[in-house]
């Protein structure tokens, strides 16, 4: 039977006996077993080590620090000599200086629960919903930051009473998540339809490029042959003119002077018409060759672009996306160019050419590959007294391929939010809900 040791009894083992001691260390009960002198001494030292460890781990994190898994709470356990190390490693301060309303650390990590450090972050537990955070500068500022801290914990000492809105916020989030789930499922279905239509599309494009290259080669031969015909007909016209004593009209002769010129012999007119027809045929061949070369360039650009897993983002290349505002019409042709057309004048401005994906693969950190959630059109038309225009894209799952918002947060630096079925997954867990052009992060 275990016997509770009275608080007044010293923790000294009774030699030659076998007892069990139950010692209360904060919220944990530790059992100490003693069998002999040596084992008793060793066990006693181990006991005190465990008691000390239990005492340390029982210290709750300071106000404003997240206690979520993988959070920084372990960094706020008092260090040797009851000290705290700034998270950026810049300084070691007494632990009593944490949340003393004075900023000691350069990164603001010593004041997670006050507004003393402008660079700090205050964690809100938001029981009944999902945790949130606000800038430390907004702690006790007299404003209830309901979106981030629905529990009102950010105003614990301002005198302002913020009601706990977490249950209400969670209900709204549940409804929005259900709506987002439907949109994601619809987008995923359309993505699968696109993938089915475009199975093997890359290989087909490569084969098409090879065929078009052969066509260009044939056109080049035809052009060379036609150039020889034009040259021959030009020489023939010169001989006819020379034989008939008709000089060639000067290149700078005006139309009126040409009209007043004497009528040319029929032989000269026939020779001229043959040459002109041959030149027109030559130009048609060159135009055809150039068009095929443009097609090859476009196809090569498409085959070289990373279109994401299974080439699903190739769905964005099917047609250009447009966004209408009172002043401008924006047009995004993925993997080529983006433009802005002024409605009043009809003037079109180049916002940039495709610059590639700019997102990051965060699989190791959050389990999410976000490489294809950001992209950039760059090196657009030069802005007067400013930079070359550019357009940053933020992409997310949607039931349609569409532009939902365009802004110019800095001079000639544009941003757009894009919905695309290419980013939808049928088992997607994280959504963004889009309503009337405003994008809300799912809580």
């Amino acid at each position: 039977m275990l016997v509770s040791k009275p608080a007044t009894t010293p923790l000294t083992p009774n030699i030659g006996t076998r007892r069990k001691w139950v010692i209360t260390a904060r919220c944990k009960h530790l059992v100490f077993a003693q069998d002999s002198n040596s084992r008793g001494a060793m066990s006693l030292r181990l006991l005190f080590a465990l008691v000390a460890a239990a005492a340390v781990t029982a210290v709750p994190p300071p106000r404003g620090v997240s206690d979520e898994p993988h959070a920084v709470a372990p960094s706020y356990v008092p260090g040797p000599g009851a000290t705290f190390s700034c998270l950026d490693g810049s300084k070691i301060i007494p632990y009593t200086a944490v949340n003393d309303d004075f900023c000691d650390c350069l990164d603001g990590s010593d004041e997670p629960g006050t507004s003393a450090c402008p660079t700090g972050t205050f964690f809100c537990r938001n029981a009944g919903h999902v945790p949130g955070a606000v800038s430390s500068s907004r702690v006790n500022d007299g404003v209830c930051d309901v979106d981030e801290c629905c529990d009102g914990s950010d105003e614990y000492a301002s005198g302002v009473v913020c009601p706990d809105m977490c249950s209400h916020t969670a209900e709204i989030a549940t409804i929005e998540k259900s709506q987002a789930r439907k949109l994601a499922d619809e987008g995923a279905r359309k993505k699968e339809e696109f993938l089915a239509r475009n199975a093997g599309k890359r290989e087909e494009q490569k084969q098409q490029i090879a065929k078009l290259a052969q066509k260009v080669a044939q056109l080049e031969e035809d052009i060379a042959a036609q150039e020889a015909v034009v040259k021959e007909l030009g020489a023939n016209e010169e001989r006819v003119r020379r034989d008939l004593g008709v000089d060639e009209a000067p290149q700078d002769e005006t139309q009126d002077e040409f009209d007043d010129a004497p009528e040319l012999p029929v032989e000269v007119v026939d020779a001229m018409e043959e040459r002109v027809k041959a030149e027109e045929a030559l130009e048609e061949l060159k135009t055809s060759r150039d068009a095929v070369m443009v097609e090859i360039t476009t196809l090569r650009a498409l085959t070289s672009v990373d279109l994401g897993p299974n080439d699903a983002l190739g769905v964005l290349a099917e047609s250009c996306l447009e966004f209408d505002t009172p002043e401008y019409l924006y047009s995004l042709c993925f993997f080529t160019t983006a433009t802005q057309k002024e409605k009043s004048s009809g003037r079109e401005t180049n916002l940039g050419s495709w610059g590639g994906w700019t997102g990051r693969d965060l699989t190791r950190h959050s389990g999410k590959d976000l490489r294809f959630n950001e992209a950039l059109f760059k090196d657009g038309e030069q802005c007067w007294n400013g930079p070359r225009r550019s357009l940053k894209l933020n992409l997310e799952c949607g039931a349609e391929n569409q532009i939902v918002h365009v802004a110019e947060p800095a001079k000639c630096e544009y941003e757009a939010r894009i919905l695309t079925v290419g980013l939808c997954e049928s088992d997607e867990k994280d959504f963004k809900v889009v309503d009337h052009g405003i994008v809300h992060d799912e809580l």
Side-chain angles (χ1 to χ4, degrees):
M1 181 177 71
L2 299 179
V3 179
S4 298
K5 190 68 176 177
T8 56
T9 304
L11 297 177
T12 304
N14 190 354
I15 306 301
T17 64
R18 179 176 177 81
R19 298 180 180 179
K20 292 186 177 179
W21 305 73
V22 180
I23 301 174
T24 301
R26 295 213 167 200
C27 299
K28 297 185 178 181
H29 294 279
L30 303 178
V31 179
F32 168 62
Q34 176 184 332
D35 289 328
S36 64
N37 290 350
S38 60
R39 290 184 62 185
M42 291 178 61
S43 298
L44 185 60
R45 287 195 296 270
L46 177 60
L47 170 66
F48 285 125
L50 292 173
V51 170
V56 169
T57 56
V59 175
R63 185 192 298 272
V65 175
S66 171
D67 55 5
E68 293 293 302
H70 311 298
V72 295
S75 300
Y76 281 87
V77 174
T83 58
F84 171 75
S85 296
C86 301
L87 298 188
D88 62 0
S90 61
K91 189 184 297 185
I92 297 177
I93 60 176
Y95 196 80
T96 54
V98 175
N99 280 342
D100 66 348
D101 208 22
F102 183 83
C103 194
D104 296 290
C105 298
L106 295 177
D107 62 356
S109 57
D110 64 306
E111 296 298 318
T114 75
S115 59
C117 299
T119 59
T121 300
F122 180 88
F123 170 79
C124 311
R125 286 181 173 78
N126 295 341
H129 190 38
V130 294
V134 296
S135 170
S136 293
S137 62
R138 294 161 63 183
V139 174
N140 292 324
D141 62 353
V143 178
C144 298
D145 297 300
V146 179
D147 290 340
E148 297 88 356
C149 290
C150 59
D151 60 0
S153 60
D154 58 309
E155 298 300 318
Y156 64 89
S158 67
V160 174
V161 179
C162 298
D164 189 331
M165 301 292 292
C166 289
S167 295
H168 176 68
T169 303
E171 290 178 5
I172 296 176
T174 300
I175 295 172
E176 290 183 339
K177 188 170 184 178
S178 176
Q179 294 172 341
R181 173 72 273 160
K182 293 178 181 178
L183 292 175
D185 286 343
E186 178 66 11
R189 182 184 65 78
K190 292 181 178 179
K191 184 182 80 170
E192 292 303 318
E193 291 177 353
F194 167 77
L195 293 176
R197 291 196 312 269
N198 289 267
K201 185 69 174 289
R202 287 259 188 170
E203 189 58 36
E204 290 178 6
Q205 289 174 336
K206 291 178 181 179
Q207 294 175 3
Q208 189 176 359
I209 290 173
K211 291 179 181 178
L212 290 173
Q214 293 177 354
K215 188 174 181 179
V216 169
Q218 182 59 56
L219 285 169
E220 292 285 8
E221 292 181 8
D222 294 343
I223 288 171
Q226 191 63 24
E227 285 176 339
V229 171
V230 170
K231 185 176 180 181
E232 176 61 31
L233 291 175
N236 179 65
E237 181 185 342
E238 290 179 5
R239 284 195 301 271
V240 172
R241 285 178 176 276
R242 187 171 55 251
D243 293 344
L244 297 175
V246 178
D247 294 332
E248 186 173 358
Q251 295 297 319
D252 58 350
E253 188 172 355
T254 64
Q255 183 63 40
D256 290 338
E257 291 173 336
F258 185 78
D259 292 340
D260 294 338
E263 187 174 342
L264 294 172
V266 174
E267 295 85 351
V268 174
V269 173
D270 291 342
M272 287 177 60
E273 288 180 349
E274 285 188 275
R275 174 182 57 80
V276 170
K277 288 181 181 178
E279 289 176 342
E280 290 175 348
L282 176 60
E283 288 305 314
E284 288 179 4
L285 287 171
K286 289 182 178 180
T287 300
S288 297
R289 176 202 60 189
D290 293 344
V292 175
M293 291 181 70
V294 168
E295 191 174 354
I296 289 176
T297 300
T298 302
L299 286 171
R300 281 178 175 166
L302 288 175
T303 55
S304 64
V305 171
D306 187 351
L307 299 178
N310 301 319
D311 291 341
L313 288 167
V315 69
L316 291 168
E318 290 193 316
S319 62
C320 296
L321 304 181
E322 292 187 343
F323 186 75
D324 203 356
T325 71
E327 294 182 77
Y328 302 103
L329 177 64
Y330 293 89
S331 178
L332 272 64
C333 297
F334 267 82
F335 317 121
T336 53
T337 59
T339 60
Q340 175 200 62
K341 185 176 182 179
E342 189 174 24
K343 291 184 176 180
S344 60
S345 65
R347 183 181 182 277
E348 192 169 84
T349 302
N350 180 12
L351 299 184
S353 300
W354 177 252
W357 305 106
T358 57
R360 300 172 59 193
D361 185 354
L362 301 179
T363 304
R364 292 181 57 189
H365 304 283
S366 64
K368 298 179 181 179
D369 184 354
L370 303 179
R371 286 175 297 163
F372 306 101
N373 289 78
E374 294 181 7
L376 180 69
F377 285 89
K378 62 180 182 178
D379 298 329
E381 189 173 319
Q382 182 70 44
C383 187
W384 185 81
N385 200 27
R388 296 182 70 88
R389 287 173 171 81
S390 62
L391 174 63
K392 178 183 177 181
L393 306 182
N394 295 299
L395 300 95
E396 56 210 47
C397 164
E400 302 286 344
N401 296 318
Q402 60 178 318
I403 306 171
V404 295
H405 183 66
V406 176
E408 186 180 358
K411 186 175 182 179
C412 297
E413 295 179 358
Y414 303 83
E415 290 186 3
R417 289 190 176 274
I418 311 294
L419 298 185
T420 175
V421 303
L423 287 177
C424 292
E425 298 292 341
S426 59
D427 59 346
E428 189 166 296
K429 296 296 187 292
D430 298 318
F431 309 110
K432 288 187 177 181
V433 182
V434 180
D435 182 25
H436 304 300
I438 303 176
V439 180
H440 311 274
D441 287 337
E442 180 60 46
L443 298 176

